[in-house]
């Protein structure tokens, strides 16, 4: 190989190397949850714009995603194993309000929809009776990571409703009472993702503690 060709080849290899490095440094890839928190990841996909399916992930701090998720509309929630002839309930809660170390307002109810046809749930169409409209994740500053948990229950023909006092506030919702009151049994599918306020930098590790109703 001539010296000219060697120089050209070296230049090409250097350019390729720099391009790969730049792509790696500029990438914005969410990290998976800890092994303990991942135990809740069972059967649901939760998709937000740009991020895609973030079930079982931390929302990354790059590209302003932790701010964007506070204003994006409701995610596309899909349950691929849903039975088309069944009816389902979708619940989204924050068990870490106002913080995971002191959850005095647990559970914060972010979303509650009943009468969802399985055929729609399989396609990510959350169409049913909205008992609580979607409210985006908005963890307060300096409260660390919050878990945003999703539960899908089979409705089995029951008429589901909230008490008048439950409609007065989203916080301090007794989810366990709700589940037992309507005999919802164990959820058909669950998942969660985690995020913290964009002001909470540098990132802090969330405490390792599982906490969700069966």
């Amino acid at each position: 190989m001539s010296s000219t060709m060697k120089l050209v080849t070296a230049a090409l290899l250097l350019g390729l190397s720099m391009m790969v490095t730049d792509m790696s440094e500029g990438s914005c890839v969410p990290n998976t949850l800890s092994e303990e928190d991942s135990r809740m990841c069972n059967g649901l996909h939760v998709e937000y714009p740009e991020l895609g399916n973030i079930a079982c992930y931390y929302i990354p701090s790059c590209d302003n995603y932790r701010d964007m998720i506070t204003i994006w509309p409701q995610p596309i929630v899909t349950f691929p194993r849903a039975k088309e002839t069944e009816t389902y309930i979708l619940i989204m809660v924050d068990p870490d309000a106002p913080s995971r170390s002191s959850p005095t307002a647990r559970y914060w109810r972010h979303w509650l929809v009943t009468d969802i046809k399985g055929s729609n749930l399989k396609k990510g169409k959350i169409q049913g009776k909205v008992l609580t409209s979607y409210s985006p994740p908005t963890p307060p500053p300096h409260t660390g990571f919050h878990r945003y948990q999703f539960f899908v229950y089979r409705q089995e023909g029951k008429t589901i409703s909230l008490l008048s006092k439950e409609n007065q506030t989203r916080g301090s919702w007794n989810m366990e009472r709700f589940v037992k009151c309507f005999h919802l049994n164990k959820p058909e599918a669950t998942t969660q993702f985690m995020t913290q306020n964009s002001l909470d930098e540098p990132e802090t590790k969330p405490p390792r503690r599982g906490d969700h109703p069966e």
Side-chain angles (χ1 to χ4, degrees):
M1 182 182 294
S2 67
S3 58
T4 302
M5 286 297 295
K6 289 180 180 179
L7 287 172
V8 171
T9 302
L12 288 173
L13 290 174
L14 178 60
L16 179 60
S17 175
M18 291 176 66
M19 183 175 67
V20 171
T21 301
D22 287 343
M23 288 176 63
S24 176
E25 290 177 353
S27 63
C28 186
V29 180
N31 293 320
T32 56
L33 299 184
S34 68
E35 181 179 354
E36 182 175 351
D37 284 314
S38 296
R39 293 172 187 167
M40 191 181 169
C41 304
N42 179 28
L44 287 180
H45 297 166
V46 179
E47 297 186 17
Y48 281 96
E50 301 181 31
L51 284 171
N53 180 23
I54 49 79
C56 220
Y57 287 98
Y58 293 97
I59 301 300
S61 59
C62 51
D63 292 349
N64 209 32
Y65 283 136
R66 290 181 183 167
D67 281 328
M68 297 300 293
I69 201 170
T70 68
I71 60 174
W72 277 332
Q74 66 189 49
I76 298 173
V77 180
T78 308
F79 180 27
R81 299 199 311 267
K83 297 181 179 179
E84 295 193 0
T85 58
E86 296 285 358
T87 304
Y88 295 90
I89 301 166
L90 172 66
I91 299 173
M92 174 186 175
V93 292
D94 173 6
D96 303 323
S99 69
R100 191 166 183 176
S101 60
S102 181
T104 55
R106 175 191 296 163
Y107 289 88
W108 194 276
R109 194 173 66 252
H110 279 265
W111 200 12
L112 174 56
V113 184
T114 68
D115 302 298
I116 306 170
K117 294 180 179 179
S119 55
N120 285 330
L121 190 54
K122 290 185 70 165
K123 302 173 184 176
K125 296 180 179 179
I126 307 303
Q127 299 174 347
K129 184 178 181 180
V130 180
L131 298 185
T132 302
S133 60
Y134 174 74
S135 177
T138 52
H142 316 303
T143 61
F145 281 97
H146 287 234
R147 292 166 293 172
Y148 291 91
Q149 300 181 333
F150 294 77
F151 300 84
V152 166
Y153 292 91
R154 192 163 50 177
Q155 192 165 336
E156 298 181 344
K158 305 178 181 73
T159 300
I160 309 297
S161 61
L162 290 172
L163 300 174
S164 58
K165 65 178 182 180
E166 290 178 299
N167 278 315
Q168 293 173 7
T169 179
R170 293 174 181 259
S172 299
W173 183 46
N174 192 334
M175 183 174 168
E176 288 94 343
R177 186 210 66 82
F178 176 84
V179 169
K180 291 179 181 178
C181 177
F182 294 104
H183 307 287
L184 296 180
N185 301 315
K186 289 188 176 182
E188 297 289 309
T190 59
T191 199
Q192 64 180 343
F193 66 84
M194 296 178 68
T195 188
Q196 64 178 1
N197 192 284
S198 60
L199 297 176
D200 288 4
E201 300 293 347
E203 296 182 1
T204 54
K205 292 279 187 179
R208 288 180 167 273
R209 188 176 65 192
D211 189 2
H212 60 86
E214 294 295 335

